[in-house]
Amino acid sequence: LGEFVLMPSARHLAQSKGLDATVLAPGSGKGGRVTKGDVLQGIAQNKLPALPVAATAAPAAVAAAPVAAAVAPLALADLVAETIVTDGPTEDVTNSKMRQIIASRLTESKQTVPHFYTSFQVELDAVLALRKTLASEHEVKVSVNDFVIRCAALALRDVPEVNGGLVAGGNAVKYSDSIDISIAVATPTGLITPIVFDTDAKGLSEISSAVKDLATRARDGKLAPHEYQGGTFSISNLGMFGISEFSAVINPPQAAILAVGGGTPTFKPTPYVEGAEEQASPSKVTLMTARLSADRRVVDEPTASLFGQAFTYYMNQPQLLLL
């Protein structure tokens, strides 16, 4: 059994004194193990012999081995790690012509256009309620995105400074008289932005029909160039893909783009009423995050804030869209 009959404290004490405590077995500990008390008693009674020379010399020899090994220089070949292959087979797929153009334009936009971002949260409950009413009572089916487009058009009408772009050369800003909103549509060959012309003059049903027609023809590759080249403002909505919020890249020469996420149910705290016996419970609302990316050379922060306030106002008062 050797040292296994010794309790750790007993072994440490005996080895520090250079004594062999295994002769005290069986000890007073559990299973006959020798305890520290047994060793102290053995030392007092002079019953413990000295450890053998080999046992005391072995640790010194072991300790010397790493020192000797450390002195010996290692060859560079000994330090080369084995190469481990972690990737599987790959395939390079050439981008379509449209994707190459998109990549080039958006890269140029991020490199040359000073983007800044303003985010605002919009309650969707009024829009959802009106949408339900239109469908059940009037058999008019419109999407939340149609409301977003209509509200953005009216906000651009109220804040025309966002409905512009930088003139080539960068020495002047051009504001457009018409509000032509580009709608980002994903197609098999890449992202395309067909335009809803004179958006502010169209009602919800007209916007809905126009967007459906443009999106269908965009996916089929049947858009005419003038239907996707130009525009004064862009909207990219990823809410239907489960995205809650994101930042979009400006599409030059436009000065701004609105990135729209999906609605998220949340609880809205109610104001505290001083002296009331009972406080109102928090209300459940559906919040949508919209983020405006704007060109700082054309739009400043106060102007972006005004646009956000106007957009939020129309979204919270959707009945105004029917006038």
Side-chain angles (χ1 to χ4, degrees):
L1 295 178
E3 293 186 351
F4 293 104
V5 300
L6 305 178
M7 298 289 286
S9 58
R11 179 169 56 253
H12 176 73
L13 176 61
Q15 289 182 351
S16 65
K17 300 290 186 181
L19 301 173
D20 184 6
T22 58
V23 298
L24 298 176
S28 60
K30 184 177 180 180
R33 299 187 71 184
V34 177
T35 66
K36 182 178 180 180
D38 295 334
V39 175
L40 291 173
Q41 185 177 357
I43 293 174
Q45 296 176 359
N46 199 24
K47 292 182 178 180
L48 304 181
L51 283 171
V53 175
T56 57
V62 173
V67 177
V71 175
L74 293 176
L76 182 60
D78 297 332
L79 301 177
V80 178
E82 180 183 358
T83 302
I84 301 176
V85 179
T86 58
D87 56 342
T90 60
E91 178 185 1
D92 293 338
V93 179
T94 303
N95 277 331
S96 64
K97 199 69 176 177
M98 180 181 290
R99 290 187 183 275
Q100 293 179 30
I101 294 174
I102 293 170
S104 175
R105 286 178 58 83
L106 295 187
T107 299
E108 180 183 3
S109 175
K110 286 294 286 185
Q111 290 177 340
T112 61
V113 177
H115 288 57
F116 80 95
Y117 309 93
T118 49
S119 301
F120 30 94
Q121 290 189 320
V122 182
E123 293 186 18
L124 287 180
D125 300 87
V127 166
L128 297 176
L130 179 58
R131 180 170 175 258
K132 185 177 180 180
T133 301
L134 292 175
S136 61
E137 299 181 7
H138 304 282
E139 297 184 353
V140 176
K141 294 184 178 181
V142 291
S143 68
V144 174
N145 194 49
D146 299 329
F147 281 91
V148 170
I149 296 170
R150 174 73 171 144
C151 291
L154 295 180
L156 289 172
R157 185 188 64 185
D158 294 347
V159 190
E161 293 82 2
V162 181
N163 191 50
L166 200 68
V167 176
N171 296 323
V173 176
K174 178 181 179 180
Y175 297 111
S176 178
D177 294 332
S178 62
I179 297 175
D180 307 322
I181 297 183
S182 304
I183 310 299
V185 176
T187 71
T189 56
L191 195 69
I192 193 170
T193 52
I195 305 166
V196 179
F197 292 96
D198 298 318
T199 319
D200 60 318
K202 289 181 169 61
L204 286 171
S205 295
E206 292 178 284
I207 290 174
S208 179
S209 299
V211 170
K212 289 176 182 177
D213 173 62
L214 290 169
T216 300
R217 291 193 290 118
R219 296 186 182 99
D220 295 338
K222 296 180 179 180
L223 288 178
H226 75 275
E227 292 181 300
Y228 60 85
Q229 294 178 358
T232 61
F233 184 83
S234 290
I235 295 177
S236 180
N237 190 340
L238 295 181
M240 65 285 292
F241 298 106
I243 303 301
S244 59
E245 59 179 280
F246 68 105
S247 301
V249 182
I250 297 172
N251 184 23
Q254 298 176 11
I257 180 172
L258 186 66
V260 180
T264 304
T266 186
F267 285 96
K268 177 182 178 181
T270 53
Y272 176 78
V273 180
E274 186 72 31
E277 294 184 3
E278 293 186 5
Q279 299 295 330
S281 301
S283 57
K284 185 179 180 180
V285 298
T286 302
L287 289 181
M288 177 191 78
T289 299
R291 179 170 297 138
L292 182 71
S293 305
D295 185 343
R296 187 57 181 79
R297 298 169 300 180
V298 180
V299 181
D300 57 16
E301 289 79 4
T303 303
S305 177
L306 288 175
F307 172 84
Q309 292 174 19
F311 175 79
T312 303
Y313 174 78
Y314 288 117
M315 290 291 289
N316 290 335
Q317 307 287 335
Q319 65 274 11
L320 296 177
L321 308 183
L322 305 178
L323 299 177

